[in-house]
Amino acid sequence: GKQPGSNGYAYGEMVQIWNAANATRSNVLLQWWSPEALFQEFLGTSAEFTRVSLPPPSQECVEHRVSAVDRCSDDPEIRIGDPRGACHEAPQVLAKVVSTALR
């Protein structure tokens, strides 16, 4: 994707990807959340979202992740990468901005 910072996809692009995969009966793996309208739309259909649980991240896993460049490789083996690199994302610290100017 072309999203700054993450090289991911915008919400609208992810909806298009899901709809295209559904129309062509293709497999797709996207990170999603529930409750959410698209998740609800496909409940009970052959395109229903399936929860995937990954192991917690470890140093070994992070070191074996597929690089951003390799995720776009034409070779499926390279895109999939080393099984040791398959784990959940590490928690991200959120920052809250507070301003006294807001009333």
Side-chain angles (χ1 to χ4, degrees), residues 36-48:
E36 200 277 330
L38 190 67
F39 178 88
Q40 299 296 120
E41 181 180 333
F42 288 102
L43 266 178
T45 73
S46 62
E48 184 171 350

Side-chain angles (χ1 to χ4, degrees), residues 3 9 13 16 42 44 51 57-58 75 95 101:
Q3 284 296 103
Y9 296 97
E13 293 169 324
Q16 289 177 353
F42 288 102
R51 182 180 303 273
S58 65
D75 183 338

